[in-house]
Amino acid sequence: MRGRRKGMAYRGSTVSFGEFGLQALEAAWVTNRQIEAARVAITRFMKRGGKMWIRIFPDKPVTVKPAETRMGKGKGSPEFWVAVVKPGRVLFELEGINVDLAKKAMRLGASKLPMKTKFVERQNLAGS
């Protein structure tokens, strides 16, 4: 089933592992190819410096029936996999590079994704 994409992400909405993150501002289905394209763009720009985390995983299969097929005869075969992303979800995280480089790398990665995103930095909750 396609499901519903309304509401904000209440899990995975903070930068947990790295220093910088790329946060989704819209709901979308992100395919495994889009995630990989963004990952390659970010790592190439960083020239393999620093560390990167991918915080989403494509675990939802999308099925498609063949063209010009009559109704019935069951469900179509899985064509590709998607990650369901809600607004507020952190998609990628970076650490070990400076802010300017991280912003440029995330902008490159965001151009490969099907929704609006914003660059976020880690908030230290422990007062110091």
Side-chain angles (χ1 to χ4, degrees):
M1 298 295 171
R2 288 177 183 259
R4 299 284 175 266
R5 292 186 300 194
K6 66 179 199 169
M8 297 288 286
Y10 61 96
R11 298 174 66 121
S13 58
T14 58
V15 179
S16 304
F17 301 103
E19 300 169 32
F20 315 108
L22 188 67
Q23 190 175 44
L25 296 177
E26 298 175 333
W29 277 0
V30 185
T31 67
N32 52 346
R33 290 170 175 238
Q34 291 166 337
I35 295 169
E36 178 64 9
R39 182 195 69 80
V40 167
I42 292 169
T43 50
R44 282 219 179 120
F45 189 81
M46 292 187 336
K47 297 190 170 56
R48 289 164 198 76
K51 189 167 167 62
M52 179 176 165
W53 288 266
I54 303 172
R55 298 280 308 274
I56 53 175
F57 188 81
D59 54 359
K60 181 188 184 83
V62 177
T63 60
V64 176
K65 292 196 75 161
E68 299 180 11
T69 305
R70 293 188 178 185
M71 291 289 104
K73 302 246 190 316
K75 194 174 173 77
S77 59
E79 286 291 309
F80 56 95
W81 294 77
V82 296
V84 179
V85 174
K86 290 184 172 185
R89 178 78 190 210
V90 174
L91 310 170
F92 297 97
E93 291 187 22
L94 295 176
E95 142 184 293
I97 57 174
N98 64 12
V99 186
D100 297 331
L101 196 66
K103 276 188 182 176
K104 289 177 184 172
M106 290 295 202
R107 186 178 298 122
L108 265 179
S111 68
K112 311 292 183 195
L113 299 173
M115 76 282 228
K116 291 180 184 170
T117 57
K118 73 174 179 180
F119 181 81
V120 290
E121 294 187 42
R122 185 179 200 137
Q123 310 302 228
N124 288 338
L125 299 174
S128 60

